[in-house]
Amino acid sequence: MRAPGIVVRAPAKINLHLGVGGPREDGFHPLVTVYQAISLYDDVAASDGPGWSVAVTTADYIHPAAVPAAGDNIVDRAGAALASIHGRERIGSITIDKSIPIAGGMAGGSADAAAALVALDRLWRLDTSDDDLIRLAADLGSDVPFALVGGTALGTGRGELVERVVDEGSWWWVVVPSPRGLSTPEVFRHFDRMFPDAGEPAPADGVLQALASREPAALAPALHNDLQSAALDLRPDLADVIAAGEAAGALKGMISGSGPTVLLLCANRMQARVVAGAMGIAGHEVVLVANGPVAGAHLVEYA
Ligand code: C5P
């Protein structure tokens, strides 16, 4: 049982377009990306201390051993950063309830950080400005600002500069997590080895136009992920998952972010259920259905 308190929910992200350029001087890669928040969520509950503690519970399809050890995880850092800009002590009892696949290319850790910022701001009655929250989020990780903003957004810089885009579509995804995670830095390093001459990141015009059409059949051929070939080179088995999803009727399969989660865009909710059923029968133990866009980090329970 979770202690009563404030609960903030934050969504998983996927990248409808992920244009990656050659590494910058600081080692990060310039990105042009179109993020979409989808209906898989982590919840972060925050209540009064004593002291500071972070506990984790997981959905039945997530192995608890996959959760990064407490002490120096991104939620500890989010709490320290927020306390520090307000010159106060970091005191709180945090529980993270994880449903977003871990190390899957869906920014689950970033969602936790964003949710923790919003929950602790409320618990500590700080009323931090949106600008300060976004700045703190960007310092915590490239995907954290988007987890605050949600919806569908264009991301630039190293992914931390986000700008909402109009998306009136309703998009249905089958999400096939992998039992083994992939490390994001490792996939970026592999991208550098495979594409030593990468220049500027590819623009996102194709996906932005397709979104405006609200037609899944128009979005399918526009989906683009520059990290996909690096992820598939490290994990060739994932190509079979994509092919199986498309054979089952999905409009398009792709790797989510740096992987290894596979996303299957479907024409509608019913097709997503059919494709998910087929993937389950084919032996994939965990197959989820999600839709987007959904809201960024938001309060779902008040103290
Ligand atoms: O920003 P974040 O901490 O989430 O990034 C994790 C790692 O992913 C970075 O340390 C870096 O190796 C890689 N990365 C990158 N370029 C980006 C974003 C992330 O190389 N734009």
Side-chain angles (χ1 to χ4, degrees), residues 17-25 28-33 155-158 191-192 195-204 224 226:
H17 173 93
L18 182 49
V20 180
R24 315 189 301 198
E25 275 186 2
F28 284 89
H29 294 71
L31 304 182
V32 173
T33 187
T156 53
R158 58 181 164 85
F191 171 88
D192 292 340
F195 305 103
D197 300 324
E200 293 299 307
H224 177 94
D226 277 336

